[in-house]
Amino acid sequence: GDGEDPSPGVAEAVRLLAAPAFDLVVEFESLLDALLPAPRGTAAATTAPPDRRELVRALRKRLAAHSRVFPVTGPAHRMARAHESLPGSPGRAAELFRKAAAEADGQGRRLMGGVARLHLGWALPPAHEERRPALEEARRRFAEVGAGVHERRATAELDR
């Protein structure tokens, strides 16, 4: 009837359908994190990355398809589009990072909003007026949610 919770079978089916979607979101967001350069002084910083353009293009295509079905992937899709446009159009990339942050905020995803701001700060030139505030906000969000690795990356970017 009206206002009743769905039967346990329906609720379980919804959880099972959503689980792979959220697993993919975590996977996609981890791949986005890999697009940032490794922190200086680490072994990963000296390892040659795979062809970045191909990685970004493949990731953007997967995210485009996924975000049409699962809007929770929207911020990650915008971020992949930003990384793809960064070499030829840094202004467009910055706008896409801003939109990804706003979309994540609208979804109540504080960590993802911080990640989008971290990528924005990374992409902006060191003297850009928006860079420091974006990175400080990212670092604050990471501290709030206990994301120490991300918090250290934001701090390293602030020190760059």
Side-chain angles (χ1 to χ4, degrees):
D2 291 331
E4 289 182 19
D5 288 334
S7 71
V10 171
E12 183 61 24
V14 169
R15 276 194 293 279
L16 289 174
L17 287 172
F22 288 107
D23 287 347
L24 281 173
V25 169
V26 170
E27 180 181 331
F28 289 143
E29 291 172 2
S30 296
L31 289 169
L32 282 168
D33 191 48
L35 294 178
L36 293 176
R40 283 173 276 194
T42 64
T46 60
T47 304
D51 181 357
R52 188 176 189 283
R53 288 180 311 243
E54 290 301 315
L55 174 65
V56 171
R57 184 177 301 117
L59 179 59
R60 190 228 354 113
K61 286 180 178 181
R62 290 290 308 271
L63 283 164
H66 197 264
S67 67
R68 283 192 289 275
V69 179
F70 301 104
V72 72
T73 317
H77 178 229
R78 286 187 196 274
M79 289 174 59
R81 288 175 50 210
H83 278 282
E84 190 172 36
S85 65
L86 193 57
S89 183
R92 174 76 176 134
E95 182 60 29
L96 286 165
F97 285 129
R98 286 184 205 99
K99 287 181 178 182
E103 187 174 4
D105 291 350
Q107 294 174 345
R109 300 181 63 213
R110 297 199 47 75
L111 177 62
M112 189 61 187
V115 169
R117 286 169 176 85
L118 173 61
H119 284 248
L120 172 63
W122 168 79
L124 292 172
H128 194 284
E129 66 184 15
E130 188 179 2
R131 183 176 186 276
R132 179 164 286 283
L135 291 168
E136 287 172 347
E137 176 64 14
R139 183 172 60 181
R140 186 179 67 74
R141 287 168 179 250
F142 298 149
E144 286 176 2
V145 299
V149 171
H150 289 337
E151 185 180 358
R152 287 187 293 281
R153 287 191 99 168
T155 299
E157 276 302 309
L158 281 163
D159 293 341
R160 178 171 69 96

